[in-house]
Amino acid sequence: MEIEAGYDIAFNCDRDVPMVLMLSIHPSRHRDLLTEHKMYLSPNVSYRNYRDSFGNECTRLRAPAGLIEIRNRFIIADSGRPDDLAPDAPQIGVGQLPDGTLIYLLGSRYCDTEKLSSFAWSQFGNIASGLQRVQAICDYVHDRMEFGYHHARCDRTAAEGHEECRGVCRDFAHLAITLCRCMNIPARYCTGYLGDIGVPKDPAPMDFSAWFEVYLGDRWYTFDARHNHPRIGRIVIARGRDAADVAISTTFGPARLVRFSVVTEERITTQELGTYKHATTNREAAFM
C-alpha cells in the first residue's frame, strides 16, 4: 500500500532560538519513499541534518524571532502487513546479548527500573520467557492504564504512570519498556506515524505515536501496549532509550508551540480508484 504522511508545525519565538528537530523518518525507511521527503521552513532559514548516536536523523537550525512554520508531506510504500509476532523467538540471556542491546536494559530518564524491579519479578517472574512474558507485560499495562490526551504530562516517569494508572501513548510505552528491562529483556522507545489503517477511525486529531521494540531471538520486534494488537502502517521516525532521546523538537530558548498538525492515511492509487469506480458502476447498472 501507499501511505501519505506529514506535518504542519509552527512556533512563535521571542528571539533567535537554536533548535534541534527530529521530524525526518528513520533512515531505515528511506528506501520506501515514493516522493521527496523534505522539510520546508517559512521563513526560509538554513538548516543541516546529522545522525545522532542512535542512528536517528536530526535537523539543526536557528529559528528567528517571530513565527516559524515547519512543514512536510510525502508518500511512502508500506507492506500493508500488521506488526510481526515472535511466537518462537526466545529471550536471550544477558551474557549472550549483543553488545549494542545492553544499553536498553538500563534505567533512563523516564524508565526508572530501580523503582519497579521487585514488582516486575513478582508479577512476571513465573511467566515463560520470550513472547509470552512480553505479551503479559503489554496486557498488564494496557489493562492498568487509562488512555486520554487530557492525561498528558511531559515529566511523568514509568513508576509514576504505574501509580497514577493513566497517560498517553508515551506513558504506556515507558511503563512497558521499564517492566521489560526489569525482566532483562532489551526494550527501546519508538516514535513515528501510525494512522487509523485497518481500524476504526479515531475522532481525535492525529498525532505522532509512541510504541516500543524488544530484542528476542536475533532481532527487534514491535509491541504496542496502548493498542495491544498488531497494527498496519507504522512509519518510524526515531528510536532511543525513552522519549527524552527522541523529542520532535528541542529548543534552546523560549519558543511557544502555536500550531501542530499531523496526517497519516492510506493513499488510494489511480489503479485502485479505477477499480473502485468500475465496481461502483457495475453495482449501479445491476439496479437499473
Side-chain angles (χ1 to χ4, degrees), residues 117-163:
S117 181
S118 295
F119 167 79
W121 279 100
S122 66
Q123 183 76 19
F124 307 108
N126 293 325
I127 297 174
S129 63
L131 174 66
Q132 280 187 261
R133 182 172 282 168
V134 178
Q135 188 57 58
I137 289 171
C138 284
D139 293 343
Y140 176 82
V141 174
H142 181 80
D143 293 341
R144 183 176 179 85
M145 297 188 70
E146 175 188 341
F147 177 86
Y149 289 108
H150 57 291
H151 296 321
R153 203 182 86 207
C154 65
D155 59 351
R156 182 182 288 119
T157 67
E160 290 170 341
H162 186 253
E163 185 68 23

Side-chain angles (χ1 to χ4, degrees), residues 83 169-170 172-174 177 188-194 208-213 221-227 233-239:
D83 305 322
C169 55
R170 62 177 263 161
F172 282 70
H174 283 151
I177 288 168
R188 63 189 184 187
Y189 185 95
C190 302
T191 186
Y193 297 91
L194 179 61
F208 292 117
S209 189
W211 59 90
F212 71 106
E213 295 174 346
Y221 289 91
T222 297
F223 287 86
D224 187 336
R226 179 202 163 184
H227 298 104
R234 295 185 196 273
I235 306 171
V236 177
I237 291 176
R239 300 182 176 100

Side-chain angles (χ1 to χ4, degrees), residues 67-102:
L67 184 71
I68 181 167
E69 299 173 305
I70 309 162
R71 299 184 180 90
N72 188 9
R73 187 66 71 95
F74 62 93
I75 298 171
I76 190 169
D78 191 83
S79 69
R81 296 190 300 268
D83 305 322
D84 287 341
L85 295 177
D88 302 318
Q91 180 175 337
I92 306 302
V94 174
Q96 288 72 50
L97 283 169
D99 297 340
T101 66
L102 297 179

